[in-house]
Amino acid sequence: MTATRNPMFAEDRFLLGTFSSNCSSGMSVTKVPERWVNSFENNVRLAKLLDEAGIDFMLPIARWIGYGGETDFHGSVLETMTWAAGLLAHTRDIAVFATIHTAANNPVVVAKQIATIDQIGQGRAGLNIVAGWNKPEYEALGLTLPDDHETRYGYAQEWFDVVRKLWRESEYFDWNGRYFTLKHVRGDPRPVSGTPPILNAAGSPQGRDFATRNANFLFTPAIDLARSKDEIQELKGQAATHGRDVGVLTFSHVICRPTEEEARAYLEYTARDNADWEAVDNLVRLQFAHAHSFPHDLLALIRDRMAMGHGGFPLVGTPIQVADGITALAEAGFKGTTLSFIDYVAEFPYFRDTVLPILAERGLR
């Protein structure tokens, strides 16, 4: 099989992807009628648009129950491994990630699933590892979420050690660890070009140690860019102590219009006047109870941004203003960002036609 170079490993550009198009409403906790419908048909339409435009990747969220409110935000979610397989079959160049919870998925099965979808995409698959944070989802699946991050990431480390060994070794082996006892296992097939890109979102010290030891990309919010700049330097320094280089990615929400007034008016309409505040508060409460993804001292700002784009960095304004925001992310040290829209398919073409050329002129694409 001829492998396609996975675009996540491109060194010559600031990476751009989309986030959460497999979930109802995408990243927008809003009640507006034009909010994203996460049908597979819509996802294929989006994937083809992104692929033709040279966007680098698509990243899904793995969810099992919604956040309630009037919209039951993320109540409908396409399962990510099968979603990725389908989209890889419909595209040529874009990378597509599967997002996998370690506690709910056997590592031997996942190793083979990723290897299989990597064949479908000829080397364009990626794995986003989730060690766990959403307690109600664990309860829904009959699982127990450990209270301490040490246990969560200890389990995730052994889980990924198994996956990585299956991808790297050609002979059968046994595994006798703390969390897994495996007899006569082997990874065949293996991913097309060795280990695919690994992504992990981590906020706790234990999580960041896991990410800098194992992932190619660490995913973290960009709430305050001055803080982000210092944070990225610390993360890169931490990765260097493990002899590794880790790219730091973030996520952004786009409202791009010909004038700033139009963009601001649409922000007010979607994320203020028609926000699903019950779902927002459920989301914030769960994030702050069980995860360290967001700085706790910025709660008021984060609640406001949760309604807009699940806490993503706001890219709101004219094409030049949106491009300036992306440039600021790059200057802060981020390797890339995901993009979300109220309606991805309806809004991405304007971003493609107006913002991408500006980024190319600035040497970011």
Side-chain angles (χ1 to χ4, degrees):
M1 175 182 291
T2 302
T4 300
R5 169 74 172 170
N6 195 302
M8 295 302 296
F9 295 128
E11 297 294 335
D12 61 344
R13 61 182 178 269
F14 184 80
L15 297 175
L16 292 177
T18 55
F19 193 19
S20 190
S21 69
N22 68 309
C23 301
S24 57
S25 296
M27 295 286 280
S28 305
V29 196
T30 183
K31 298 182 286 188
V32 298
E34 67 267 32
R35 66 185 183 273
W36 178 244
V37 175
N38 62 317
S39 66
F40 187 69
E41 180 183 8
N42 279 346
N43 274 272
V44 170
R45 291 172 64 200
L46 174 62
K48 290 182 175 181
L49 283 171
L50 299 173
D51 201 28
E52 291 167 2
I55 298 300
D56 302 298
F57 66 101
M58 297 179 74
L59 177 65
I61 290 179
R63 286 271 76 83
W64 305 101
I65 58 175
Y67 290 104
E70 184 177 323
T71 62
D72 192 23
F73 180 65
H74 286 185
S76 172
V77 175
L78 300 176
E79 189 281 321
T80 71
M81 190 72 74
T82 45
W83 172 88
L87 295 186
L88 286 165
H90 279 285
T91 52
R92 296 180 303 174
D93 300 308
I94 194 168
V96 184
F97 281 81
T99 297
I100 297 298
H101 290 79
T102 57
N105 296 272
N106 184 282
V108 180
V109 176
V110 170
K112 190 175 288 289
Q113 288 174 320
I114 291 291
T116 301
I117 69 170
D118 204 43
Q119 285 204 9
I120 295 170
Q122 296 183 312
R124 294 182 288 119
L127 173 61
N128 177 27
I129 298 174
V130 180
W133 65 271
N134 192 329
K135 189 173 183 178
E137 287 200 328
Y138 272 64
E139 293 170 347
L141 298 175
L143 301 171
T144 300
L145 175 67
D147 291 329
D148 62 296
H149 284 70
E150 289 83 2
T151 301
R152 296 184 208 177
Y153 283 100
Y155 184 94
Q157 184 64 65
E158 187 173 331
W159 184 94
F160 186 55
D161 287 343
V162 171
V163 170
R164 190 159 39 193
K165 188 176 178 72
L166 287 161
W167 285 344
R168 290 178 176 176
E169 296 195 10
S170 58
E171 302 299 322
Y172 285 94
F173 64 88
D174 295 342
W175 183 278
N176 295 292
R178 179 177 179 183
Y179 300 103
F180 296 99
T181 301
L182 310 171
K183 298 295 183 183
H184 198 63
V185 292
R186 178 183 176 214
D188 189 6
R190 291 183 291 280
V192 173
S193 300
T195 302
I198 304 299
L199 191 151
N200 178 247
S204 69
Q206 298 86 353
R208 298 202 158 182
D209 183 64
F210 174 86
T212 53
R213 287 178 183 273
N214 299 285
N216 303 103
F217 301 96
L218 191 152
F219 198 60
T220 191
I223 306 298
D224 176 287
L225 292 190
R227 180 183 297 203
S228 292
K229 189 171 185 178
D230 293 338
E231 179 185 20
I232 291 167
Q233 291 176 342
E234 290 173 8
L235 290 168
K236 287 190 165 294
Q238 186 174 348
T241 65
H242 304 310
R244 307 185 70 253
D245 181 30
V246 175
V248 182
L249 304 179
T250 194
F251 55 106
S252 307
H253 185 68
V254 180
I255 299 179
C256 188
R257 298 292 186 272
T259 68
E260 182 178 359
E261 290 75 17
E262 290 175 87
R264 295 290 171 189
Y266 196 65
L267 171 64
E268 195 73 21
Y269 162 70
T270 56
R272 308 272 162 68
D273 298 341
N274 289 286
D276 188 344
W277 288 113
E278 183 181 349
V280 168
D281 288 334
N282 288 338
L283 179 55
V284 171
R285 177 176 50 80
L286 283 168
Q287 285 275 354
F288 278 70
H290 303 295
H292 291 170
S293 301
F294 294 94
H296 286 213
D297 59 323
L298 298 177
L299 175 60
L301 175 61
I302 289 166
R303 182 177 184 267
D304 185 59
R305 287 195 185 175
M306 279 288 183
M308 180 191 69
H310 207 304
F313 186 75
L315 297 172
V316 180
T318 65
I320 289 177
Q321 288 173 315
V322 169
D324 286 346
I326 293 172
T327 302
L329 290 173
E331 290 174 346
F334 286 104
K335 173 60 180 171
T337 187
T338 62
L339 310 168
S340 61
F341 304 84
I342 297 292
D343 183 333
Y344 297 77
V345 168
E347 296 181 64
F348 172 73
Y350 185 68
F351 177 92
R352 174 197 64 201
D353 296 341
T354 62
V355 179
L356 288 182
I358 299 172
L359 298 178
E361 287 175 7
R362 296 178 181 181
L364 293 177
R365 298 291 295 171

